[in-house]
Amino acid sequence: MTREVTQVPHRNDDCRPTTPWQRFAEAFRARRSRRHEHAPPTSDTESPAPEPVPGANTLWRMRTTVKDEPGSLAALCAALAGHRVDILSLQTHPLAAGTVDEFLLRAPGELPASAIITAVSSAGGSDTWIERADAHDLVDAPTRVLSLAARTALDAAELPLALRQLLGRCTIRSRPAPAGGVRGPGGLPVEGALDDTVMRLRAPEGGVITVERPYLPFTPTEFARARALVELDARLGPRVPRGRDVLTLAEGSDITVRRADPRDLEAARAMHDRCSAHTLRLRYHGPVGDADRYLNHLLSPRFGRTLAVQTASGRIVGLGHLLWDGDETEVALLVEDAWQRRGVGAELLGRLVALAREAGCASVYAVTQASNTGMVAAMRGLGLPLDYQVEEGTLVITARLDEAVVTTGAEELGSASAS
């Protein structure tokens, strides 16, 4: 499938070098962003729902604003009770112009979202938002926040994922601190800033974490919880799980697959030096002017997870990256020439996809050249539904993670337990 790509200005906020493929990828992401618009899926409100089962119930998450005066909440509860809707949990967020109430509701399966919204509106609720909930939402807010804090404490790469689970569907972008040791942008308070649907938080390394959720404004309580998670991350410092797996390739060579971080910069740079210009061009879609600038970004747990393949002597011969790209997830591979066509790339890709599934990603995409038959074959080898988008020799392959895959030990690599 050929897709027209609109030219857009290329941003280089994260200090990565600008190459033709990155300009393509930026345009590709812009088109996807305009398509998604970060709005709740139509299935959350008025899309066709499954045929109601008599006696069945449906869980809903709902947020509405009521006047901050006695009796407002009581009227709302009475309106819901009139439709046989149970309130399983309630959180209130006082604001200057009223109170935002968050509900977890259990309603009769045949009751549509529109009827709940109408009842809430008749009782004085405004700016009402509702979506389907599931069993995970039955966990109370303090327990959920503590669980996310525990995950973040074990792995620095969990911070963006924890923020997304805390705040729901949102776009999270990290911008590193400017070069020269200047910490953070001017004008941003130490405690961060909240502006309706956008929050900005000082990243532990001095940059900025921007969180956007255009379809639903953030509350001060959500801002405080997000800021607490970021502050916890800053206090704990750099950390990566040290679990590793030793595998034997088909021809008999033993390799170790483990998580990598900035401490592997020198070994990763040495691998780059051993790679041919052709291999580097296939990976980076152009000449590599400054490998350090690429690798500092790719190895940082702030931007995703990296797996390294090393030989028995400790030499790194392959790198696989799972990169958080706003609300998308990218996979990328680099395997040293002498170790290509030996199953290393497929092993890395399978593990990256397993990590993406564990992180709750709906899909992953790879940006490569149409001539890169190895990467295309590895993506096909996943056994997942694939979408292809081509433009001037650049190929974007998107794998939808809605079918089971073999995890090949990703749980150990993604957790704090070391083997």
Side-chain angles (χ1 to χ4, degrees):
M1 180 179 67
T2 302
R3 181 178 185 144
E4 178 186 355
V5 178
T6 305
Q7 292 295 324
V8 298
H10 176 70
R11 299 176 304 172
N12 200 23
D13 295 339
D14 55 14
C15 302
R16 286 176 292 181
T18 301
T19 62
W21 83 268
Q22 286 181 317
R23 289 192 289 273
F24 169 84
E26 186 72 20
F28 166 74
R29 287 191 290 265
R31 289 288 294 269
R32 294 181 80 159
S33 296
R34 286 195 293 272
R35 184 181 68 197
H36 293 307
E37 295 180 345
H38 308 301
T42 54
S43 61
D44 292 339
T45 52
E46 294 307 305
S47 67
E51 194 69 25
V53 178
N57 293 315
T58 302
L59 294 176
W60 298 94
R61 291 176 57 223
M62 185 185 73
R63 177 179 291 190
T64 191
T65 302
V66 299
K67 294 181 179 179
D68 188 10
E69 58 185 35
S72 297
L73 181 57
L76 196 63
C77 294
L80 293 172
H83 287 77
R84 295 184 295 119
V85 177
D86 293 334
I87 299 174
L88 302 181
S89 69
L90 167 64
Q91 297 183 66
T92 61
H93 308 279
L95 303 176
T99 300
V100 175
D101 292 332
E102 281 191 78
F103 296 88
L104 178 61
L105 305 174
R106 182 172 57 206
E110 64 274 12
L111 185 68
S114 57
I116 299 176
I117 293 175
T118 299
V120 169
S121 178
S122 66
S126 61
D127 298 324
T128 302
W129 168 86
I130 190 170
E131 72 169 359
R132 291 288 182 92
D134 58 31
H136 295 90
D137 293 295
L138 293 172
V139 179
D140 66 280
T143 301
R144 185 167 65 251
V145 172
L146 286 172
S147 175
L148 295 176
R151 289 182 56 182
T152 302
L154 297 174
D155 187 349
E158 288 286 335
L159 179 60
L161 303 175
L163 289 172
R164 188 172 297 167
Q165 290 190 26
L166 177 68
L167 303 170
R169 288 181 304 279
C170 56
T171 298
I172 301 173
R173 300 192 185 280
S174 296
R175 189 177 69 187
V182 180
R183 292 187 60 83
L188 180 64
V190 174
E191 66 274 10
L194 173 61
D195 183 15
D196 198 33
T197 60
V198 179
M199 68 170 69
R200 293 190 300 153
L201 303 163
R202 282 192 180 274
E205 67 278 3
V208 176
I209 298 173
T210 302
V211 187
E212 299 182 58
R213 191 178 64 187
Y215 69 91
L216 187 66
F218 294 112
T219 66
T221 301
E222 288 178 314
F223 178 60
R225 290 170 179 168
R227 187 175 60 197
L229 277 179
V230 175
E231 290 176 352
L232 173 65
D233 184 270
R235 287 180 177 273
L236 293 175
R239 60 213 178 277
V240 170
R242 306 315 301 176
R244 58 184 63 211
D245 283 345
V246 178
L247 309 172
T248 301
L249 299 178
E251 89 285 359
S253 300
D254 287 340
I255 60 172
T256 298
V257 186
R258 61 173 177 81
R259 287 282 297 277
D261 63 18
R263 290 172 290 185
D264 294 297
L265 177 60
E266 184 176 348
R269 188 192 302 118
M271 187 192 77
H272 273 63
D273 293 340
R274 295 191 300 270
C275 289
S276 67
H278 175 69
T279 290
L280 293 176
R281 185 165 55 252
L282 286 179
R283 166 61 183 90
Y284 296 108
H285 316 273
V288 182
D290 185 355
D292 283 359
R293 297 178 68 193
Y294 286 97
L295 292 172
N296 278 322
H297 177 89
L298 294 173
L299 293 173
S300 170
R302 182 67 59 237
F303 301 104
R305 294 171 174 169
T306 294
L307 298 180
V309 173
Q310 66 182 43
T311 64
S313 64
R315 172 183 289 186
I316 289 181
V317 296
L319 290 172
H321 308 285
L322 187 71
L323 301 169
W324 316 136
D325 179 22
D327 52 1
E328 307 284 347
T329 306
E330 181 182 0
V331 290
L333 303 175
L334 177 64
V335 179
E336 187 176 325
D337 294 62
W339 288 82
Q340 293 174 12
R341 311 292 179 180
R342 300 167 71 174
V344 173
E347 180 69 28
L348 280 173
L349 185 60
R351 289 171 178 271
L352 292 174
V353 168
L355 289 173
R357 287 175 59 86
E358 179 191 337
C361 302
S363 64
V364 297
Y365 73 90
V367 182
T368 187
Q369 295 182 19
S371 61
N372 191 351
T373 57
M375 187 64 176
V376 174
M379 291 292 287
R380 288 176 175 170
L382 294 171
L384 295 170
L386 300 178
D387 295 327
Y388 300 87
Q389 300 177 18
V390 184
E391 178 69 18
E392 298 180 355
T394 301
L395 173 64
V396 177
I397 310 175
T398 301
R400 301 193 304 276
L401 309 184
D402 51 4
E403 292 186 3
V405 296
V406 178
T407 59
T408 63
E411 292 82 358
E412 290 80 6
L413 289 167
S415 70
S417 59
S419 58

